[in-house]
Amino acid sequence: MTPLIPAAHQLNRRDTAVKILLLGSGGREHALALKLKSNPKVELYVAPGSDAIAECGVCLPFGAEDGKALTKWVSKNSPDLVVVGPEAPLVCGIADDLTRLGVPVFGHPRATSLLEGSKSFAKDFMTRHNVSCAFSITVDNIEEGASLISGWRHGYPIVLKADGLAAGKGVTLAQTEAEAIETLRDFLAGRFGDASRKVVLEEPLFGMELSLHILVDVRGESASYCMLPACQDHKRLFENDKGPNTGGMGAFGPIPSLRPEDMERLRKDLVEPTVAGMQKDGLEGRGVLFFGVMLTADGPKLLEYNVRFGDPETQVLMQLLDEDLSELLYSVATHKLKPGELKIFPGTAICVVLAAKGYPDDPQKGAVIDIKSPACSLIHAGTVKTPDGWKVNGGRVIGLATRASDLNEARSAVLSDLDQKQVCWPGMQVRRDIGLKAL
Ligand code: AMP
Ligand code: GLY
């Protein structure tokens, strides 16, 4: 299977405006919205969007989960393309519903979205199709689970994963047998509702983590994909990878230590068997697949699939991508991802997240954000516009994003904005070491 790279498609050759509906409201969607709007022909609508996103498109008064309102709006307005940001509506089948209306949708059908929506489904898929990954076993009752944990021979910490979507909180690394059994009991009793009635017990992997995104177009026998530059997220709250897990405190890409042969290995061990497996299983691909990868001493292993763009990885990827995003996503949505050159900026991009006081456990909303004139782009995630100015309205508040000739320069640009307090508020949390280890 040769990787195919898209060439220009006809979307922008028309004389009329290109009407795009984007679903979502966070930092990922603000980054996508800004990129889509860099094409002046794009007429952007966003459901539900945010005050920041409203500066680049029309925000609609309903959310990505409101299938009824969405299908009504789509039927009436016939957008040229719908782009689905978050995973939850995909797992609920929003792409199937909208495709039935005859609209091109960038976003996988429900059956494919279970690669993110069910860890046991994903692990079964990986095992059957020889996608390199950790040993695992799925349990749904405490007696069997406790006995498996007591006889565990696959190393500690034991990794416990809620089967379904748990807003990024469904993974626990248990250091002892007692902790593993206690966590299992808690999960099975419904800590994450139905999402944790089944639990995957997994062997621990050690190494460097990375995020690999591919655009993937699979329908029947035909398949094409293209790989985007690998990025690295920083999940822990504090510098030096200390503190609680978060949605991601900052990312950069590409990763300087990854050589072309390492990217080739990722393609051979993870990407190719995944795409071939989707073809074999009849899983339609019409969106992005984000591989959470651990580079272990035994080579790359897949931690998880996501069926959406990562956040804050998207903020990095949109800095790096020198393509018209509307054409690219449209070519995937219409199963016409074609060979050609995918233009990627030949340097490094970074996004450093500014988070609210109290994030991730108890983010404090309401502080007024002092914004001067930062050199970096501001990607809003949890903000609201008020007569007093922008205010904190979520956990991850704003990302400072930029690109430069190398990681050092990209980091310096962000640090300079931070040193000059170009964006700040009382209690703001930020990691100044994003990308530092990679230098
Ligand atoms: P996931 O939602 O599967 O990506 O898991 C969330 C985080 O848990 C990952 O980003 C890893 O840091 C960690 N994790 C998941 N699976 C494993 C594993 N098998 N070994 C070590 N860490 C893991
Ligand atoms: N940054 C990790 C994620 O989006 O899941």
Side-chain angles (χ1 to χ4, degrees):
M1 197 184 319
T2 42
L4 301 179
I5 306 173
H9 193 54
Q10 71 268 22
L11 184 65
N12 283 284
R13 293 214 191 120
R14 305 175 193 166
D15 290 334
T16 50
V18 171
K19 200 190 271 187
I20 298 181
L21 171 63
L22 170 66
L23 307 187
S25 62
R28 166 184 48 214
E29 286 77 21
H30 191 212
L32 292 171
L34 288 167
K35 191 75 179 175
L36 287 168
K37 271 307 285 182
S38 65
N39 175 349
K41 285 183 81 172
V42 168
E43 185 181 305
L44 186 65
Y45 297 84
V46 192
S50 65
D51 289 346
I53 292 173
E55 296 187 350
C56 39
V58 177
C59 291
L60 303 174
F62 45 83
E65 278 82 25
D66 189 345
K68 217 168 152 187
L70 267 174
T71 45
K72 194 171 158 200
W73 189 90
V74 167
S75 307
K76 192 166 163 216
N77 293 278
S78 303
D80 297 296
L81 173 67
V82 180
V83 178
V84 187
E87 66 280 11
L90 291 171
V91 174
C92 290
I94 195 68
D96 309 68
D97 296 344
L98 297 180
T99 307
R100 250 179 254 121
L101 301 174
V103 179
V105 178
F106 178 88
H108 303 288
R110 181 184 141 75
T112 308
S113 302
L114 286 179
L115 288 173
E116 177 167 0
S118 165
K119 302 259 187 211
S120 58
F121 175 83
K123 290 296 303 201
D124 176 58
F125 177 94
M126 292 175 211
T127 313
R128 282 187 297 107
H129 297 298
N130 289 317
V131 181
S132 180
C133 65
F135 167 84
S136 70
I137 188 155
T138 303
V139 296
D140 62 5
N141 71 83
I142 187 67
E143 291 74 24
E144 186 201 358
S147 137
L148 280 165
I149 289 168
S150 299
W152 190 253
R153 295 282 175 274
H154 308 282
Y156 273 82
I158 302 182
V159 184
L160 293 101
K161 300 185 173 184
D163 185 55
L165 295 183
K169 299 196 170 75
V171 176
T172 295
L173 306 183
Q175 302 294 341
T176 63
E177 178 180 331
E179 188 189 349
I181 292 175
E182 199 38 51
T183 305
L184 179 65
R185 196 183 301 282
D186 185 34
F187 274 26
L188 291 176
R191 156 114 71 105
F192 299 106
D194 285 344
S196 62
R197 305 274 180 214
K198 269 201 282 187
V199 176
V200 174
L201 305 179
E202 193 169 276
E203 165 198 7
L205 297 176
F206 302 96
M208 182 178 99
E209 245 185 283
L210 62 85
S211 304
L212 178 68
H213 291 71
I214 68 166
L215 296 175
V216 61
D217 164 6
V218 176
R219 184 172 55 174
E221 287 299 292
S222 92
S224 59
Y225 68 86
C226 58
M227 285 164 74
L228 290 158
C231 301
Q232 194 157 46
D233 189 11
H234 296 64
K235 293 250 172 81
R236 302 295 199 97
L237 180 65
F238 303 130
E239 288 175 8
N240 255 318
D241 298 323
K242 301 268 189 316
N245 254 317
T246 71
M249 292 297 290
F252 69 92
I255 303 170
S257 62
L258 274 192
R259 301 158 302 173
E261 55 266 40
D262 300 319
M263 289 301 285
E264 206 41 46
R265 181 101 195 252
L266 289 169
R267 180 201 303 286
K268 284 266 161 339
D269 291 2
L270 306 179
V271 175
E272 296 259 338
T274 296
V275 176
M278 289 171 71
Q279 284 178 288
K280 275 193 204 125
D281 287 1
L283 291 180
E284 183 182 355
R286 205 183 45 214
V288 61
L289 270 186
F290 155 14
F291 296 69
V293 179
M294 189 76 90
L295 287 187
T296 74
D298 297 330
K301 300 210 177 196
L302 185 60
L303 294 172
E304 62 163 354
Y305 291 114
N306 298 289
V307 295
R308 48 159 178 98
F309 283 108
D311 187 341
E313 287 89 339
T314 308
Q315 289 83 320
V316 170
L317 292 172
M318 292 306 113
Q319 292 278 333
L320 291 174
L321 190 67
D322 276 338
E323 290 274 349
D324 179 67
L325 187 65
S326 63
E327 284 295 0
L328 193 55
L329 302 188
Y330 183 76
S331 73
V332 177
T334 52
H335 288 299
K336 287 185 177 122
L337 187 60
K338 288 247 172 69
E341 276 302 308
L342 186 65
K343 290 193 220 91
I344 297 293
F345 174 69
T348 302
I350 190 167
C351 175
V352 173
V353 171
L354 311 180
K357 182 177 179 181
Y359 176 74
D361 295 332
D362 183 23
Q364 303 293 302
K365 297 183 183 177
V368 176
I369 307 170
D370 179 17
I371 302 179
K372 299 195 175 84
S373 38
C376 296
S377 305
L378 291 191
I379 313 295
H380 288 242
T383 63
V384 64
K385 199 175 186 174
T386 75
D388 300 329
W390 291 99
K391 284 189 177 176
V392 172
N393 195 43
R396 291 191 289 175
V397 180
I398 289 185
L400 287 174
T402 193
R403 70 186 201 177
S405 59
D406 60 26
L407 180 56
N408 227 333
E409 265 190 41
R411 273 177 45 75
S412 298
V414 174
L415 291 177
S416 163
D417 275 348
L418 290 174
D419 289 341
Q420 295 167 32
K421 298 197 183 311
Q422 292 288 350
V423 183
C424 66
W425 64 89
M428 176 182 103
Q429 304 191 79
V430 61
R431 277 184 65 166
R432 295 174 56 96
D433 68 340
I434 304 304
L436 184 60
K437 266 194 199 156
L439 285 173

